Each structure stands twice: as C-alpha cells, then as structure tokens.
Amino acid sequence: MSSQEDEKRIRKAFKAKTWNEIKTHDSWSVFKIMSEFVDGFEKLARIGPCVAIFGSARTQMTHEYYRLAEEIAYLLTKKGFGIITGGGPGIMEAGNKGAHFAGGKSVGINIELPFEQHPNPFIDPDKYIEFDYFFVRKVMFMRYSQGYIVLPGGFGTLDELFEAITLVQTQKLVKFPIVLVKKSYWAGLVEWINRRLLEEKMIAHDDLEIFTVVDTAEEAVRIIEEFYNKYALKPNF
C-alpha cells in the first residue's frame, strides 16, 4: 500500500462522524459479526473437527515447504483426519491439495483481503466459508481444530500460532498438539523464547511443552496420531 493510500485511510478513520452515523455503523457491524459466527458454527459443526494447517500464502508450488505441507495433509487424511486451512494460496493450498487427493475432508475458511488471498481450487465446495473479520475466522480455527500444524509463514501465521499457544497456556483450550515444522526456520524464534521469555520469567518452563518442533512430515503426523492413541480417541471426521 502506498503512503498516499495510507494517509487517506488514516484521515478517513479520524474524520468526524455524527452520533447517528457511529451508532448506525456499529449496529450494522454487530449484526454482521453475529451472522458470520452463526454461519461458521453451523457449517463447521456439521463437518466436524479437523487438524489445522497454517503457513504462508506466498509460498510457491515449487518450494519445499509447499511439498511438505501437501505431504503432511495427505498422510493425516489417510489416517482419518480432516484438514482445515485458511483457504488461500501457498501453504494453505498445499494442505487442501493433500487432503483432496487423499480423498478426505478438505475445509477452507477464507478471509477477504485486498491482496494475496483468494480461495484455492482444492477445497470441498460444501466446506468453504468466507469471512470479513479476522477474529471470527480465528475463533473458528480454535474451536474446530484438534491439532495444529504450523509451517513457515509470516505475521498471519505467527498470529495463529501464538493464539493457539496462548489459549492452551491459559487453559481456555484443551492441550491439543501444536507442531512447528522445519527446525531451521523456527530455530531463531525458539531461541528467543528461551533466552528472553523464559530467562526473564515471562513464561514458565512448562510452557515450552505446549509446542513441538520437527523436521519431517512423518514426525508431524506421528505427534498428532500419538496424541489420539494416548487418550484412546478416534478421529471423528
């Protein structure tokens, strides 16, 4: 976005509005948010819980991360797990593609953005949902995912990762497995968490057990599968 466009957006945000304009806009927003929650809950409740795959929308089809995401999704689907992604290109597309070709449930919950986010062609037509609000979409991920596979990504991926970690840490979410894939990518972040957050007592040592870092598709799938075997659960997707 150009500096001129930024300035226009800032000026528009600070433009004086009448009380009636504010009230009308806020009331409309409340109903729009409610409708997105209702639509999301109804559709995803019918689909059933899935394993979420997070990662960059900018990853190209020829990249090793794309192929890794596709393999993970394929292997998980063959073991009976459904796959849910953000529904866009890149890693999300790879996740849906793996699920699609494995013959399993391929779910996409997309977000309307001015760039880079468009639905990929590997989502089941009856399992596609589109949102305007990031926070509504994130609630759907956290509510209907029973495991999180996090591949390399940017700010959006980090947002989803730390949302899941925080909910587990604060016991607002069952301690489902959170698996970061590709040690070389995540090494700096994990080192910083250890050297800063842990050493300065911003987190407890037990918090480091909330997530696991692996290198291969087989390792990632094994962690999800072992969790279900440990608690004598079966995928209900």
Side-chain angles (χ1 to χ4, degrees):
M1 186 178 292
S2 69
S3 58
Q4 281 188 325
E5 289 172 328
D6 275 338
E7 186 170 339
K8 284 181 182 178
R9 285 168 61 88
I10 292 169
R11 290 186 181 280
K12 184 178 180 181
F14 282 100
K15 185 179 178 181
K17 297 182 179 66
T18 66
W19 170 245
N20 189 55
E21 286 176 321
I22 295 170
K23 186 177 178 181
T24 300
H25 177 268
D26 288 353
S27 297
W28 181 89
S29 295
V30 168
F31 287 115
K32 182 69 172 68
I33 291 165
M34 287 174 60
S35 71
E36 289 201 353
F37 272 119
V38 170
D39 187 41
F41 286 153
E42 285 185 347
K43 287 186 178 178
L44 289 169
R46 289 195 299 269
I47 294 167
C50 297
V51 174
I53 293 182
F54 300 136
S56 176
R58 304 183 185 194
T59 304
Q60 298 299 309
M61 190 181 297
T62 54
H63 199 286
E64 64 168 312
Y65 298 157
Y66 185 103
R67 296 192 296 271
L68 188 56
E70 187 178 349
E71 183 181 2
I72 290 169
Y74 185 91
L75 293 174
L76 282 171
T77 303
K78 283 300 185 182
K79 291 182 179 296
F81 296 93
I83 299 297
I84 183 171
T85 79
I91 296 296
M92 294 173 281
E93 177 183 289
N96 288 125
K97 185 177 180 181
H100 174 76
F101 283 107
K105 293 183 178 179
S106 180
V107 186
I109 51 177
N110 206 355
I111 185 80
E112 290 189 4
L113 293 177
F115 59 91
E116 89 177 9
Q117 189 81 354
H118 54 270
N120 69 70
F122 301 105
I123 304 166
D124 295 343
D126 62 330
K127 298 178 182 65
Y128 173 76
I129 312 171
E130 190 167 83
F131 296 99
D132 285 326
Y133 297 96
F134 263 115
F135 68 91
V136 178
R137 177 176 179 251
K138 204 182 322 183
V139 168
M140 299 304 153
F141 268 127
M142 300 306 143
R143 182 178 176 85
Y144 291 101
S145 299
Q146 292 189 331
Y148 306 89
I149 302 290
V150 189
L151 284 107
F155 290 144
T157 302
L158 291 173
D159 178 44
E160 291 157 342
L161 167 63
F162 281 108
E163 177 78 8
I165 289 174
T166 301
L167 290 174
V168 171
Q169 182 200 43
T170 56
Q171 298 182 20
K172 296 295 184 182
L173 182 70
V174 173
K175 194 178 178 181
F176 293 127
I178 301 172
V179 186
L180 282 64
V181 185
K182 213 59 187 174
K183 291 179 181 179
S184 59
Y185 187 86
W186 299 110
L189 175 62
V190 174
E191 182 184 1
W192 177 79
I193 289 173
N194 278 277
R195 291 175 62 86
R196 289 297 179 188
L197 300 188
L198 186 60
E199 285 186 9
E200 297 194 22
K201 302 187 188 313
M202 301 297 179
I203 60 173
H205 194 273
D206 289 349
D207 292 335
L208 297 176
E209 298 177 4
I210 294 173
F211 62 89
T212 307
V213 187
V214 302
D215 250 339
T216 68
E218 289 78 12
E219 288 175 301
V221 172
R222 185 174 67 247
I223 289 171
I224 299 292
E225 193 173 24
E226 285 177 351
F227 173 82
Y228 279 87
N229 290 337
K230 178 180 179 180
Y231 294 102
L233 300 172
K234 292 181 179 180
N236 56 349
F237 334 123

